Amino acid sequence: MEETYDAIVVGSGFGGSACAALLSKRGLKTLLLEKNAAVGGKAMTMSKEGFGYELWPIVGAPSLDSQFHAVLKELDMEDEVELLTPPGIGALVYKGRSGRYEMPPSPTGEQEDDGPLALIQQLGLTEEELPEAGRLFADMTSMPAEEIEKLDNITLAEFLSRYEVPQPIYSYLAMWSNIVFVVPIDLLAASEAIRTHQDFAKGGAMRYSSGGYGRVAEVFVQGVERFGGRVITKARVERIIVGEGAAAGVVTEQGIFRAPIVVSNAGIQPTVLRMVGEQHFDKTYVSYVKGLIPSWGIMGVRYFLSQPVFDRGVYLAFSDDSVMDTERFLKAKAGEPPEDVITFVVVPSLYDDSLAPEGKQCALVGTICSPDPDAPDAEMWWGKLEEMVDKLWPDVERYTESKERYSSHHVSTLTRDHVFPGQGGECIGLAQIVGQCGSQKPSARAPIRGLFYVGCDAGGYGCGTHQAVDSGVNVAALVEREHQTRASMF
Ligand SMILES: Cc1cc2nc3c(=O)[nH]c(=O)nc-3n(C[C@H](O)[C@H](O)[C@H](O)COP(=O)(O)OP(=O)(O)OC[C@H]3O[C@@H](n4cnc5c(N)ncnc54)[C@H](O)[C@@H]3O)c2cc1C
């Protein structure tokens, strides 16, 4: 028998699970369908042999007053998970003028400031460089919203050319573009960058969660059921049913489910090109969707260590030569990678010691790569990244009990379908670049009545999972309005 709902949400990533939980809490009869056995999408938490960990390095920002806090509060589920920002948890490892990577001292346990201004003090600026660096960050931090909006068509690199930016600051912001948005500084929309920088400056960065980063999505999913909704895992949506120009439900192996509202967390491109089908859209919209550009990918290695090697929960290692702009990325793609690669490390048990057996550590390490699940250069990036780890943390090799490599191929298999060449393994979702941000961000409302997108492709802004949850909040409001409109008309 076919079941009928007010709204069906396809996918339990941070965007889909936040949206479904809010809809359920607000009284809509909601069904959440997830193709995987576990929820949380790209940021799900796994467990194995006493370790709790994500499949790759994930930490969140802003740390305080985030949309994570807002959704948990509305669900009245703040006690189910603790949002963690221990003092001195993160560090920059920068190779600048000294010509070697400067490893930070071990944390003191005292409250250290992890805000962007404190972090840039680790970059070794000269006395002469400090005032201009201060002017740049002060302008970015205090810029009013109406000025930020004017920067949708300016890249962050173009915005920085208005200042005499010291090289270490340029490299820091290029690394930040690579790691936070997973795009190059010379394509990142300055509006998106500055809006996000303001959140980081106010709320800090490098938040994690008790029980694993994915625990928050698990709580959102519990919320769906707590407020009367239904959740089905291992339920891949094969098709979104469209009748008379409106969404009508979904087809899965486990049956057909009907609803006048379908919210897809599966990515705009897979939704339009595979799940709904091009024939239901006009040609201009299909060309627009095909032309949207994904973020780059992150690939790397999970190390399971028999002894603790790391003493900070997050490291960002980079040099003036390893940060990626468009030209360097194309050169690397053509077989000429930089000598060193950006190295992003997260150690979950340094946030929550229940996430590793006593005396052991799991370290999740990543670097930038192509989003193409079929990219032929994965071996090269793994080799480069492992060399960096050996150079910066020589004890890793000695204490590695096992290691697992991952790439854009694994990201795509886990979450986003590969529906045309070069797409599927994107780290974030659609790239937050000029032409795809602010007023030009894809609409969360599809041109089919009752069909919406949620997650990193539409409806939010900011860093990865935070963008997804922001979208969850905004799309839930759109869907609620659609539901009320329908209720008042039919
Ligand atoms: C290597 C790596 C490192 C990252 N590091 C960070 C970080 O440090 N900080 C940060 O904030 N973000 C980070 N991110 C990005 C962040 O994880 C994502 O941007 C965010 O989780 C995306 O959320 P989402 O809701 O948009 O979609 P997704 O997480 O992609 O979720 C989509 C969900 O839909 C499901 N689905 C897809 N198709 C179907 C279907 N047909 N039927 C049913 N279900 C379906 C998928 O299984 C998945 O659960 C990282 C990502 C990667 C890959």
Side-chain angles (χ1 to χ4, degrees):
M1 207 183 78
E2 294 177 8
E3 291 173 32
T4 302
Y5 292 85
D6 293 329
I8 296 173
V9 179
V10 181
S12 71
F14 273 65
S17 59
C19 182
L22 291 172
L23 293 176
S24 196
K25 171 86 200 304
R26 293 174 193 178
L28 277 75
K29 187 179 172 199
T30 304
L31 172 66
L32 175 61
L33 295 166
E34 167 56 53
K35 73 180 164 82
N36 293 320
V39 303
K42 292 184 174 69
M44 71 169 62
T45 295
M46 311 287 291
S47 56
K48 184 179 88 170
E49 292 164 15
F51 289 100
Y53 59 97
E54 289 61 62
L55 289 165
W56 22 78
I58 309 232
V59 282
S63 294
L64 306 175
D65 294 331
S66 71
Q67 289 289 41
F68 282 49
H69 294 83
V71 176
L72 290 169
K73 184 158 193 256
E74 177 166 345
L75 301 177
D76 198 15
M77 296 180 83
E78 291 154 295
D79 292 344
E80 304 287 334
V81 54
E82 201 182 340
L83 300 176
L84 305 168
T85 49
I89 193 73
L92 301 180
V93 184
Y94 174 54
K95 180 166 97 174
R97 295 189 178 102
S98 69
R100 56 173 193 277
Y101 286 95
E102 302 288 349
M103 195 56 76
S106 295
T108 57
E110 299 293 307
Q111 187 66 46
E112 287 179 31
D113 184 355
D114 282 333
L117 292 177
L119 284 177
I120 62 166
Q121 282 165 7
Q122 298 172 23
L123 298 174
L125 295 186
T126 63
E127 285 290 314
E128 295 73 52
E129 289 170 337
L130 281 170
E132 187 66 350
R135 185 169 80 89
L136 166 66
F137 280 102
D139 286 357
M140 294 210 313
T141 306
S142 62
M143 191 179 287
E146 59 277 16
E147 289 302 311
I148 297 178
E149 275 168 26
K150 293 181 192 155
L151 298 175
D152 282 349
N153 287 320
I154 303 283
T155 69
L156 182 58
E158 285 163 344
F159 174 76
L160 295 180
S161 69
R162 300 173 183 178
Y163 297 80
E164 296 280 322
V165 184
Q167 181 63 50
I169 296 292
Y170 191 89
S171 295
Y172 166 77
L173 288 171
M175 176 279 293
W176 190 73
S177 308
N178 290 170
I179 294 296
V180 172
F181 303 98
V182 199
V183 298
I185 190 168
D186 52 336
L187 293 182
L188 173 62
S191 54
E192 188 89 5
I194 294 174
R195 204 170 284 138
T196 306
H197 162 80
Q198 292 192 346
D199 290 347
F200 281 38
K202 267 189 254 138
M206 306 190 188
R207 168 178 31 78
Y208 195 77
S209 311
S210 59
Y213 199 87
R215 174 74 193 138
V216 174
E218 291 165 17
V219 172
F220 292 166
V221 170
Q222 282 168 17
V224 176
E225 289 181 320
R226 179 176 295 186
F227 301 110
R230 184 169 178 210
V231 178
I232 312 179
T233 54
K234 297 193 215 162
R236 168 182 270 278
V237 170
E238 302 293 350
R239 195 160 59 80
I240 294 176
I241 305 165
V242 173
E244 295 172 11
V250 301
V251 178
T252 74
E253 271 188 358
Q254 305 198 21
I256 293 178
F257 301 93
R258 298 261 168 201
I261 296 175
V262 176
V263 184
S264 176
N265 187 209
I268 291 183
Q269 292 169 326
T271 302
V272 169
L273 304 176
R274 176 167 288 172
M275 285 156 60
V276 176
E278 293 185 25
Q279 68 279 14
H280 291 288
F281 297 91
D282 79 39
K283 285 196 173 73
T284 321
Y285 188 72
V286 172
S287 322
Y288 163 73
V289 166
K290 286 184 175 166
L292 291 168
I293 296 176
S295 77
W296 284 339
I298 287 186
M299 59 177 293
V301 185
R302 299 185 277 274
Y303 292 94
F304 298 90
L305 305 166
S306 61
Q307 300 246 347
V309 171
F310 297 90
D311 56 16
R312 299 208 180 232
V314 183
Y315 295 85
L316 293 161
F318 64 105
S319 70
D320 299 340
D321 301 322
S322 67
V323 292
M324 279 284 173
D325 60 13
T326 309
E327 194 184 331
R328 284 182 185 169
F329 189 76
L330 291 174
K331 239 173 123 178
K333 227 175 146 186
E336 276 186 74
E339 197 177 319
D340 290 351
V341 292
I342 284 193
T343 305
F344 174 27
V345 185
V346 174
V347 185
S349 59
L350 287 170
Y351 282 90
D352 174 347
D353 59 15
S354 72
L355 295 173
E358 209 177 327
K360 295 193 177 189
Q361 269 184 347
C362 167
L364 306 159
V365 180
T367 196
I368 301 302
C369 67
S370 161
D372 185 352
D374 298 329
D377 53 7
E379 282 293 336
M380 174 193 80
W381 291 113
W382 277 319
K384 288 257 157 209
L385 184 62
E386 288 175 8
E387 265 174 40
M388 282 295 291
V389 171
D390 288 347
K391 182 155 63 183
L392 294 172
W393 297 279
D395 284 346
V396 166
E397 194 180 359
R398 187 172 347 143
Y399 296 124
T400 297
E401 285 186 330
S402 65
K403 67 180 178 184
E404 298 164 354
R405 288 168 156 192
Y406 64 89
S407 69
S408 295
H409 172 78
H410 300 100
V411 174
S412 175
T413 306
L414 184 82
T415 58
R416 183 170 294 212
D417 288 350
H418 176 46
V419 290
F420 64 86
Q423 161 283 339
E426 46 268 44
C427 176
I428 303 290
L430 293 176
Q432 290 152 286
I433 56 177
V434 163
Q436 299 189 165
C437 281
S439 57
Q440 294 152 8
K441 198 131 192 162
S443 170
R445 196 186 277 279
I448 284 181
R449 185 91 206 241
L451 177 63
F452 296 83
Y453 313 115
V454 72
C456 280
D457 284 7
Y461 81 94
C463 164
T465 51
H466 192 260
Q467 175 175 222
V469 176
D470 187 45
S471 166
V473 170
N474 296 328
V475 174
L478 284 179
V479 168
E480 203 187 351
R481 215 170 307 138
E482 171 78 13
H483 175 68
Q484 284 163 353
T485 308
R486 296 185 63 84
S488 66
M489 286 177 66
F490 305 115

